Structure formats: C-alpha cells, structure tokens
Amino acid sequence: MSAPVLVSGANGFVGSAVVRALLRHGYAVRSLARPSSDIANLDGLDIDIVRGDLLDPASLERALAGCEGLFHVAADYRLWARDPRAIRMANVRGTHNILIAAARCGVKRIVHTSSVATLGLHGDGTPADEETPARYADMIGEYKRSKYLAEKMARRHARVGQDIVIVNPSAPVGPRDRKPTPTGRMVLDAARGKMPAYVDTGLCVVHVDDVAEGHVLAYERGACGRRYVLGGENLSLRAILQLVAGLTGRQGPWLRLPHTAAMPVAYAAEAWARISGRTPTITVDGVNLARHHMYFSSHRAEAELGYRARPAREALADAIQWFRDNGYCD
C-alpha cells in the first residue's frame, strides 16, 4: 500500500470532507486531531487517527513520519474571539510549525488550505480572482489577517523549494458543520426562521464536498506555488436567505437593514459575549465584511484542475438536511 497522506484538522467541517474525498480516490489517510477534539465527523472511516497540536512541533513530526503528502486544512475559523491572539497563533504559528515539520519528514507535496479572505475585492462587485491585488492593510479582522499571513508564509516556503499548492475556498456549506462555522450558523438561523432581516452583501456559496474534491485535484494537478479559488455560485445575502426559505417553507427575509443600523447591534452582541462567554450572533468584523460583495471566480481551478461546483441550492439543501437530521433545527 502507498504511503499515507496526512490531513490536519481532519475532524473539522472542511477537513472531514477532504478525508472522505481522499478515501474515494483511493488514498491511505492519516488524520490529525487535537487531543481534546471531538472526532465524530470521522466515525466509521477507514483511517489512522493521530493526536497532535499545531502548537506542538514534536507531535506534528510524529504525525507526519512516513507520509508522502500533507493537506493542511486546520484553522481557527472565527470572526470573534475573546482573545484574538489565539486565532493568530493557530493560523500563523501553526502553519509555520507544520510546514517545518513536513520539510523535516521529507513530505513530497503539500496542499495548503487558505481562503478567499486573503484575496482582494473589486469595488464594483464583479468577481475577484487569484490575481486581484490585496494588502495586509485591507484585511478586516484577525481571521483574515492571520490567513493572509499564513498564506504568505506558504508561498514563501514554496519559493525556496517546498512543493506547496494553495487552495482558496469561498463560503462552504453542507453536511457535518458541527460548530457550526459562521456561514453555517447563518444558514441554520435562516432555516430556523431567525433571520428576518438582511444587509446588502453577497457570498460565493460552495458545497463543502466540491471544495474537498478541489483539494484532491490541486494535489494531483496543481502547480507548485500557485493559488486556486475553489468557489461556487455568487449570490446576494437576500437571495441566499430566500433559497433557504424556499427549502424550509418559511417566510423569506423582509427587512433590509443599513450597515449603520447593524453596527450598534454587533457592538452590543460582542459586549454580551464577553460577559456570557457565548459566541455573538453578529460581530463588528462581520458587519464590516458585509459592506462588500464577496464574489469570486473559480475559472483558474476549472481550466487547470478540472474543478466543478454544483448549484448553491444543492449545497444549502444538504446543509439544512444535515442540521435537521442532527437536531439543530429543533
């Protein structure tokens, strides 16, 4: 049997989809999860699960020993944290540690999971791509800043000889979004009838399983040091919420809020989160991000990798069905 590939963050939303895609393509998979992590997303899969931490270099070398490939999917995907330094440590220091460990272990090829959050946006709302200019100063919030720095680090490692391909998923939705992610929380709230209002923004919605297939394609066909957007369908937030309403039989959104009206609510939600310890349902960074239409083109991945994405409606339907089946909509 061929040497395994390691997937970091394998128990997470995107990571568990990547594990399943790799298994479908016949790869031997080793999955890295923190000692305290819930690994329910990996139940029943024919994989080797190892425990380790991105901030523990020795554990990473043990996990990577004998691996021919690495899919570095693990990331702290939060738009708010009581201590934002935790996001940066996981996403920047963690990436540094695992790339160094991969070099020491002789790993032949790496797929680094970045994000469209690292890319620039066009002021007129037309889809951006891998070449749309972006600066660190343009990054809103610690998540975007940390992913920007982590991707910059991966590109630097590629320039000095590590075989690294970078993928930039847009806004994945679908099954096994247990936490859920910020995008998944939005879909869940809409499915439960808790989003009657919306702001003028837009997202590139993609099925998490299509993102996972894109990872495998990048590993097999991607060019070293090159970035590939793994996106889907560009839709306004209102259109997304209307799709969810149609899939759940609920009333669609009826109140359009100006961003200036949403901002005080975000500040209040964050203040309460600091007191209660609960994750805020709306964040200051989220409102600032919503001032833009975050639309992206996957043309490069389609042309060079053979990447394809299904319609957003199918992705949303699968997400809602999984939430229903797992008691989130009760």
Side-chain angles (χ1 to χ4, degrees):
M1 192 173 186
S2 60
V5 295
L6 180 75
V7 180
S8 71
N11 57 301
F13 176 44
V14 175
S16 61
V18 171
V19 168
R20 285 169 168 77
L22 287 164
L23 291 174
R24 286 194 297 271
H25 286 269
Y27 287 88
V29 179
R30 186 179 297 172
S31 298
L32 176 67
R34 289 179 297 173
S36 61
S37 290
D38 178 4
I39 57 172
N41 274 346
L42 303 176
D43 286 351
L45 300 182
D46 184 17
I47 57 176
D48 178 21
I49 300 175
V50 295
R51 297 290 189 167
D53 194 295
L54 292 177
L55 302 182
D56 178 2
S59 73
L60 300 179
E61 290 194 31
R62 289 193 297 270
L64 284 161
C67 289
E68 67 175 14
L70 165 65
F71 290 77
H72 177 40
V73 186
D76 189 334
Y77 179 22
R78 290 181 290 171
L79 296 183
W80 181 89
R82 180 173 290 174
D83 182 3
R85 292 174 298 180
I87 299 174
R88 181 166 296 218
M89 285 295 290
N91 294 346
V92 182
R93 174 58 60 178
T95 296
H96 168 81
N97 288 344
I98 203 165
L99 293 182
I100 293 297
R104 288 177 176 169
C105 292
V107 173
K108 294 178 181 178
R109 173 156 261 222
I110 299 167
V111 173
H112 171 71
T113 307
S114 185
S115 167
V116 292
T118 68
L119 307 178
L121 294 169
H122 295 305
D124 62 1
T126 55
D129 61 21
E130 298 86 352
E131 301 305 320
T132 306
R135 304 171 301 159
Y136 181 77
D138 299 328
M139 300 294 112
I140 297 170
E142 194 56 43
Y143 173 72
K144 287 191 70 164
R145 287 191 288 266
S146 66
K147 292 299 286 185
Y148 180 91
L149 293 174
E151 184 188 293
K152 189 174 181 180
M153 183 184 300
R155 296 173 79 181
R156 185 164 61 246
H157 277 254
R159 285 195 298 271
V160 297
Q162 270 188 292
D163 188 354
I164 302 175
V165 184
I166 297 164
V167 293
N168 301 78
S170 56
V173 296
R176 300 177 301 277
D177 193 357
R178 291 186 180 273
K179 286 190 175 180
T181 60
T183 309
R185 170 59 62 183
M186 176 195 73
V187 173
L188 177 59
D189 286 346
R192 297 173 69 186
K194 293 185 176 182
M195 282 195 68
Y198 65 96
V199 294
D200 181 21
T201 189
L203 296 172
C204 183
V205 177
V206 60
H207 198 296
V208 69
D209 291 341
D210 294 334
V211 169
E213 286 292 323
H215 278 68
V216 180
L217 290 168
Y219 184 75
E220 295 178 345
R221 305 178 187 178
C224 177
R226 198 150 169 83
R227 298 194 286 183
Y228 297 94
V229 170
L230 303 179
E233 189 173 351
N234 293 309
L235 294 169
S236 69
L237 177 56
R238 182 171 183 267
I240 294 168
L241 298 178
Q242 286 178 324
L243 280 173
V244 173
L247 290 163
T248 57
R250 295 188 179 274
Q251 181 181 358
W254 54 271
L255 177 62
R256 175 176 168 174
L257 286 178
H259 294 91
T260 52
M263 190 59 79
V265 179
Y267 277 112
E270 289 191 7
W272 174 244
R274 288 187 177 90
I275 297 169
S276 66
R278 295 183 178 181
T279 301
T281 55
I282 180 173
T283 67
V284 172
D285 287 342
V287 174
N288 283 326
L289 287 168
R291 296 180 187 276
H292 308 277
H293 284 76
M294 293 165 279
Y295 293 160
F296 297 92
S297 167
S298 303
H299 176 73
R300 176 184 290 177
E302 292 165 358
E304 298 184 15
L305 306 180
Y307 172 76
R308 296 292 182 270
R310 71 198 78 181
R313 180 184 176 87
E314 294 182 27
L316 293 167
D318 283 356
I320 293 166
Q321 190 61 54
W322 189 88
F323 285 136
R324 282 174 171 162
D325 293 343
N326 289 272
Y328 286 73
C329 295
D330 296 343

